[in-house]
Amino acid sequence: MWWWLLLVVLVRSCGDGGRVRIIVLGWLMPGWFSHLALWVQAVLLVGGFLAFGLSGLFVRSRVRRWFGDDPEHNDRVKFLVEVVGAFYALLIGLVAVGAYEHYVEVKKLVNEEASQLTTVYRAGQAFPNSRRCRIQSQVRNYAENVINEVWAKQQRGVIAEDQGRLDAVFESLMFYEPRNEQESNAQSVTLEAFNEYNNLRRERQGEVSIGLLPVLYLVLFGGAAVTIGATWALVGVRLVDHVALTGLLSLFIGLFITLVIALDHPLQESNAIGLSQWKVALAQGMGVPAEKGEQVTTYFGVSSAERVPGCLLNVPDYVSFAGSDRLPQ
């Protein structure tokens, strides 16, 4: 039963954006594992490590026969567990800290991106009303597309944003001919805010496929097998003590590896960073009510999910003018 001793850690590269899926625990972990809720993943991983650790105690009697009555045997085993355990604890601690720091950085990036798009929306208020309605409607339309479609694809590792919606905003800004210095300043400020948003968007897209190296998972799971397996070699220990020692060690390692997996690839799968900041930007920054049918009163007038405040046409009507020289008055 050589496969049982391997504790296979299979690393499979998927075609969707170069994403790497980690498949663990001795058998081929099904693809649906990464879509499970965090607590379900924790139960499966921790339970798997506990089962692996405690299953090794069935060889206690055989180990005792192998090593006989050597009085120094347990001292050697304790030395091995201490050395391997110290290095493994250091490794998994550093990996967990690195994954957490990367997760926080990506979350800040997502918050900055949503906030910057709000800045573009508000900067558009300085344009004449017909142009303002067009720009703000297109920004709203783009933000809603990110929330409704882009994020779900991104969680599957697919970068498939509707570039046309973003290009429409750029065209409305770039090809507008200012009639005075005030409009020229408004155009410059809004374009600068748009370019900053575009940079943040590209950074976020680049983070979709960035995660821990597959070799780190090989080392983590291999180190876990060695660390847990070393405790099986103890002899002359009461069964209850042996179960407690191996079980607690397996539990500790399972929890830490669950943490690492949860923090890895912060924009993918069920543990991905959510859309809360984008929804706040859409509701508070762009005046889109959280519930359909509600209205919000703003400086420019009543705002609803379908209408930018102070504009006569609905959002889809203004968006349809993208690339056209004729603007609604």
Side-chain angles (χ1 to χ4, degrees):
M1 299 177 67
W2 55 270
W3 51 267
W4 185 81
L5 299 175
L6 287 179
L7 259 176
V8 177
V9 181
L10 179 60
V11 180
R12 182 180 63 187
S13 296
C14 301
D16 45 355
R19 179 165 53 93
V20 175
R21 286 187 179 179
I22 306 304
I23 304 171
V24 296
L25 297 179
W27 287 101
L28 182 64
M29 181 66 72
W32 47 258
F33 177 80
S34 56
H35 300 287
L36 298 175
L38 176 59
W39 70 269
V40 179
Q41 292 182 358
V43 169
L44 292 177
L45 281 172
V46 174
F49 273 102
L50 280 173
F52 169 74
L54 297 180
S55 65
L57 299 184
F58 289 109
V59 301
R60 273 168 48 94
S61 57
R62 184 174 300 178
V63 170
R64 188 176 294 110
R65 291 197 302 269
W66 285 345
F67 296 100
D69 298 326
D70 183 358
E72 298 182 357
H73 169 72
N74 276 357
D75 293 333
R76 298 191 188 98
V77 174
K78 292 176 184 177
F79 175 77
L80 175 63
V81 173
E82 289 173 358
V83 172
V84 173
F87 279 104
Y88 185 76
L90 179 62
L91 171 65
I92 198 171
L94 291 174
V95 171
V97 170
Y100 175 75
E101 290 179 348
H102 180 237
Y103 183 92
V104 171
E105 289 175 0
V106 175
K107 190 169 185 178
K108 288 181 179 178
L109 176 61
V110 171
N111 293 345
E112 290 175 7
E113 183 189 2
S115 299
Q116 189 63 29
L117 190 63
T118 302
T119 302
V120 176
Y121 181 90
R122 292 190 176 276
Q125 294 176 351
F127 285 85
N129 197 58
S130 60
R131 180 62 60 161
R132 175 186 70 83
C133 291
R134 173 175 173 172
I135 293 172
Q136 291 187 332
S137 295
Q138 291 169 341
V139 172
R140 268 196 186 190
N141 181 261
Y142 172 77
E144 290 177 341
N145 178 256
V146 171
I147 292 174
N148 297 330
E149 297 183 21
V150 170
W151 221 256
K153 294 179 181 178
Q154 181 177 268
Q155 288 180 335
R156 299 193 300 270
V158 179
I159 303 174
E161 298 195 24
D162 190 341
Q163 188 66 34
R165 286 181 169 86
L166 202 61
D167 289 342
V169 179
F170 176 74
E171 291 175 4
S172 296
L173 293 171
M174 189 66 185
F175 299 117
Y176 176 70
E177 296 183 2
R179 293 173 294 184
N180 51 51
E181 185 178 356
Q182 179 181 356
E183 292 183 5
S184 179
N185 292 336
Q187 184 183 42
S188 298
V189 170
T190 311
L191 275 172
E192 183 179 353
F194 177 83
N195 289 334
E196 178 63 24
Y197 168 76
N198 211 23
N199 291 334
L200 292 171
R201 178 183 66 89
R202 284 195 292 265
E203 286 185 40
R204 188 250 305 162
Q205 289 178 334
E207 291 288 351
V208 172
S209 58
I210 295 179
L212 296 177
L213 293 174
V215 67
L216 277 177
Y217 281 101
L218 289 171
V219 174
L220 286 178
F221 282 93
V226 172
T227 304
I228 295 172
T231 65
W232 300 343
L234 290 171
V235 297
V237 182
R238 291 190 309 168
L239 179 60
V240 62
D241 294 335
H242 211 164
V243 168
L245 172 65
T246 305
L248 290 175
L249 183 61
S250 302
L251 176 65
F252 171 80
I253 292 176
L255 287 174
F256 254 88
I257 290 184
T258 300
L259 173 64
V260 171
I261 292 177
L263 295 174
D264 193 20
H265 289 95
L267 292 176
Q268 289 189 32
E269 307 304 347
S270 59
N271 302 323
I273 295 170
L275 281 162
S276 58
Q277 191 63 27
W278 275 91
K279 292 179 180 179
V280 169
L282 192 63
Q284 299 183 7
M286 304 179 194
V288 179
E291 297 293 336
K292 296 289 185 179
E294 290 187 0
Q295 294 183 341
V296 178
T297 302
T298 69
Y299 174 81
F300 288 92
V302 175
S303 176
S304 66
E306 295 295 329
R307 181 167 296 178
V308 172
C311 301
L312 297 177
L313 301 178
N314 291 333
V315 169
D317 298 321
Y318 282 104
V319 171
S320 66
F321 282 93
S324 172
D325 294 331
R326 183 170 60 89
L327 295 176
Q329 300 298 321

